Amino acid sequence: MSYRDIRIIGDPVLRSVCDPITRITPGIEQLVRDLMENVQEPGRAGLAANQIGVSYRAFSWNIEGNTGYILNPMIVETSDETQDGDEGCLSVPDLWYPCRRPWYARAEGIDLQGNKVVVEGEEIWGRLIQHECDHLDGYIYVDRLERHLRKEALTALRSRK
C-alpha cells in the first residue's frame, strides 16, 4: 500500500482550488490508486486529492463498503431540504460540529477511461459529495459552520498548537 500522510488545516494545499484533470497520465492513475487505498483506512468516508498533497480535482469514497472515485467532480444538483448533522474531517482531526448542508447532492465527473461517473445521494452521501467538492475548491468544513461554531472550532484548533 502506498500510504499517504493527510494534510492538516494550515497546509496551503488545502486552500488551493484544485486543477482539473485534462489528461489521464500514469501520475493520475497512481493518484487514483493512492486515493482508493488510503480511503480504506478505518474512520474514513471520503478523501480528496489535496488532502494527500495533490492539487487535482479527484476524490474517493468508502461508505459502508461502497467504494469508488470520481475525477473532475462538479456538483450539478442539490436539494432545498437541509440536514444539520455533525461533520468532521481528516484534515481537522477530532473536531466535530453541526454543519448545515443540503440533504441531497449529485455530482458528475469521469473515471480513468473517460466514462461519465455520477455520484448522488441523500444524508451521508449528500454530505460526502459536498464536503469533498468543497476540498477541491479550497474550502474546509469549518468554513461552512455558523459564526459562533466557527469561532469555537478555530479557538479549539489554536489551543492545540
Side-chain angles (χ1 to χ4, degrees):
M1 178 170 162
S2 184
Y3 181 80
R4 303 285 294 263
D5 289 331
I6 301 297
R7 301 300 177 96
I8 303 301
I9 191 169
D11 188 316
V13 73
L14 294 172
R15 295 302 190 172
S16 300
V17 176
C18 294
D19 296 325
I21 296 167
T22 57
R23 288 183 334 119
I24 305 301
T25 65
I28 296 299
E29 291 170 348
Q30 183 62 51
L31 171 62
V32 168
R33 283 192 296 275
D34 290 350
L35 286 169
M36 292 301 295
E37 289 176 2
N38 284 270
V39 80
Q40 300 296 325
E41 293 289 312
R44 296 182 178 179
L47 186 61
N50 58 346
Q51 289 183 279
I52 58 172
V54 181
S55 191
Y56 278 116
R57 293 192 69 81
F59 74 81
S60 61
W61 64 84
N62 179 11
I63 296 182
E64 298 171 351
N66 182 333
T67 61
Y69 72 92
I70 186 170
L71 308 178
N72 295 332
M74 297 298 291
I75 294 176
V76 296
E77 183 181 353
T78 58
S79 64
D80 291 333
E81 184 182 2
T82 62
Q83 57 179 310
D84 199 15
D86 280 353
E87 192 164 326
C89 179
L90 298 170
S91 294
V92 187
D94 305 319
L95 290 182
W96 292 80
Y97 288 94
C99 183
R100 183 173 307 280
R101 293 199 186 261
W103 179 258
Y104 167 86
R106 174 186 171 101
E108 295 178 357
I110 60 170
D111 65 14
L112 287 170
Q113 290 72 44
N115 300 313
K116 183 177 181 178
V117 173
V118 174
V119 184
E120 66 182 329
E122 299 175 334
E123 198 173 17
I124 186 71
W125 281 100
R127 184 174 297 281
L128 170 114
I129 292 162
Q130 294 167 78
H131 181 105
E132 301 308 330
C133 285
D134 269 357
H135 273 302
L136 303 178
D137 290 331
Y139 296 101
I140 300 173
Y141 91 98
V142 294
D143 301 331
R144 302 284 185 207
L145 298 177
E146 291 181 20
R147 175 178 266 177
H148 73 283
L149 292 173
R150 185 168 194 267
K151 183 177 178 181
E152 183 181 317
L154 294 175
T155 298
L157 285 167
R158 279 193 294 277
S159 70
R160 289 181 175 185
K161 293 183 179 181

